[in-house]
Structures are given as structure tokens and as C-alpha cells.
Amino acid sequence: MATLSQDEPGQFSNPVQDHGLSQPRNISHTVSYGQSHVGYDCSPNTYRYATLQPPASHTFCNSGCIRCFIAISSVSILFVLFAFLLAFFVVHPDFPVFVMDTFYISNFINTSNPKFTADWEANILVNNPSEKLKVHIDGVESYMFYQSEFLATSSTDLNFHVKPKGHSLLHVKMSTNNPDQPEVKQWVVDAMSRDRNEGSLSFNMRMLVSSSFKAATFNFDGKDRILKVYCDNLDVVFVGTGPKGFGVLSSGQSQPCSISM
């Protein structure tokens, strides 16, 4: 019958030693070896190096890419801002203002003769309200009407600038003595004669102004534009009679014109 031996009071012999099996001497070493074997080395130096030290080349690449991205973004933003300002001032400029300063008629022969004759001269004040752009005018086509009836035309090649916040005087002259002028119908001549005898005669003047807008501070030419200028209801009174009589604006003051594209 087997009996349990007791070496010391209150303790029993180890059954593993009794069967000849050796017990591991260092349990902590065994655990450490097992953790290192599966990739979890608890060594202070190994853990700190493996987890806290990112590759130096990867850090340099990230910082370089970030700086390159910031530089490209800054250049792109500046370019878009410059293009926006350029489009704002050039594509949508402030159109010039046209004012009929003086309007003069001479050699007005309104008899029943087949050939009606008259000369018209106008001085139009061109004001540029823009602070950034100058206006370049290189040509004007002018047309004179009595009501809706065409009387005379002229074409003038010009080459002058109107500075920002500046003004200039545009001189236009039309005459029926030009052989290329159309013949005025007799009923139109009779109607103008009646209006003159009643004290006042009204004309409508239209202009096609070939213009462009140029930047005042740098070399940039804007898009060419044809401005349609309407100087309507030009009421004139005549001084004197016969061929030596002439007509001027009845108000004696300048008269604004309208404009469209």
C-alpha cells in the first residue's frame, strides 16, 4: 500500500520529481523565449527601436512631398487670382460715356429741288470712367436720320486713347455733298421744311464705334468691341434764313447719348 511521504511538517513531495521529469528552472526565461518566438520581444532596447524609430527615408519623402504640394498650390492660387482680376477688368470693363457736346447744321437747303443738301458737324465728349483701363478708338461709322429716314453717313479712321478717368473729344462730320450719299426722298425734304418753319427740327444720330480696352499698367490688349451709340432727339433751332442760316441745339447744353453692345 502506497503511502505519502512527508519531508517536512505541512509539505508533500513533488510527484513530478518522483517520476524523473525535470521541472524548468527559470519560468520567466521560458515565457520570454516564447514571446520572442512569436514576434513580441519584451527587451527594452528591442521594443524601443522597433516601435519608436520610423525609417528616415520615409520621413524625408513625406516632408518633401508636402512642401512640393504647398508650393504648387500657392502658384495655382496666385494664377487663378490674377486671371480673375484680369477677366474682371478686361472682359467686363466700364464702358465709356458719350455726350453730345455741340451739334451744328449748315448749308441746309430744304427747297423742292430734287437734290437736298445739308452738312452736320458734331463734337462728342468721350469720358472713360474706368480706373484701370484705357479706351482705344480706331474707327467711327456715323449715320444721320430724320425720324427713321436715312439722310447721310460718314466713316472715319481714328487712332486715339482715352486715359483712365480721362476724356477726349470726338469730331464727326457728315454731308449730303458726298457722291456716295443716298438720295433723300422728296416727302422727307418737305417734312423737314415744315418742321423748320415751325421753329424746331429734330435729328437722330447713330454711331458704330470700333474700340478696345487696354490695361494702363501692363501690356495687355483686351477684346475689340463695336459700341453702338445712340444720340437721339437732337432738337435744333435755326439762326438766320437761306443758305447762310445754321442750326444749333435748342437747349444750348450738352446732351447724353445711350450705348449698347
Side-chain angles (χ1 to χ4, degrees):
M1 182 175 180
T3 61
L4 296 175
S5 61
Q6 185 173 3
D7 296 337
E8 295 180 1
Q11 293 186 0
F12 298 94
S13 61
N14 194 331
V16 178
Q17 292 179 354
D18 294 342
H19 290 282
L21 297 176
S22 60
Q23 184 178 359
R25 298 179 180 179
N26 192 344
I27 297 178
S28 63
H29 175 73
T30 303
V31 174
S32 175
Y33 176 80
Q35 292 175 347
S36 177
H37 180 72
V38 296
Y40 295 93
D41 192 353
C42 294
S43 174
N45 293 334
T46 302
Y47 177 78
R48 185 180 299 111
Y49 179 79
T51 59
L52 300 181
Q53 297 290 337
S57 61
H58 182 68
T59 303
F60 176 78
C61 179
N62 286 341
S63 61
C65 292
I66 292 175
R67 287 194 298 268
C68 182
F69 176 76
I70 293 175
I72 294 175
S73 299
S74 300
V75 173
S76 300
I77 292 174
L78 291 176
F79 177 79
V80 171
L81 181 61
F82 175 78
F84 174 78
L85 292 176
L86 191 63
F88 179 78
F89 289 114
V90 176
V91 180
H92 301 284
D94 293 329
F95 293 129
V97 178
F98 294 83
V99 178
M100 180 65 70
D101 189 39
T102 59
F103 186 68
Y104 182 82
I105 303 176
S106 60
N107 297 323
F108 189 85
I109 308 300
N110 58 338
T111 63
S112 58
N113 295 333
K115 185 66 174 179
F116 165 74
T117 62
D119 297 328
W120 294 269
E121 291 189 56
N123 289 320
I124 300 99
L125 190 64
V126 183
N127 295 315
N128 182 12
S130 176
E131 297 181 353
K132 303 295 183 180
L133 300 177
K134 57 184 178 181
V135 181
H136 176 71
I137 298 177
D138 54 17
V140 176
E141 293 183 8
S142 306
Y143 305 89
M144 188 64 64
F145 295 87
Y146 168 74
Q147 298 179 0
S148 61
E149 297 297 323
F150 177 59
L151 299 178
T153 183
S154 68
S155 180
T156 306
D157 293 330
L158 300 173
N159 186 14
F160 73 91
H161 298 273
V162 184
K163 297 180 180 181
K165 290 295 183 180
H167 62 273
S168 182
L169 199 63
L170 174 63
H171 182 75
V172 176
K173 184 176 181 179
M174 286 172 278
S175 177
T176 58
N177 292 327
N178 189 334
D180 296 331
Q181 297 296 322
E183 182 177 354
V184 180
K185 300 175 183 179
Q186 185 60 46
W187 73 266
V188 177
V189 176
D190 295 339
M192 288 189 294
S193 178
R194 288 193 300 269
D195 290 345
R196 177 180 177 177
N197 294 333
E198 293 177 358
S200 131
L201 182 60
S202 182
F203 296 95
N204 298 321
M205 181 177 172
R206 310 287 172 82
M207 293 184 294
L208 297 178
V209 180
S210 177
S211 62
S212 61
F213 299 86
K214 302 176 181 290
T217 56
F218 56 91
N219 187 17
F220 182 85
D221 293 345
K223 181 180 179 180
D224 292 340
R225 298 176 182 271
I226 301 297
L227 305 178
K228 300 177 182 179
V229 182
Y230 301 85
C231 301
D232 293 340
N233 301 320
L234 299 174
D235 297 329
V236 299
V237 293
F238 285 85
V239 179
T241 59
K244 294 183 179 181
F246 61 91
V248 293
L249 288 175
S250 59
S251 61
Q253 299 179 353
S254 58
Q255 182 173 331
C257 304
S258 60
I259 185 174
S260 68
M261 293 295 298

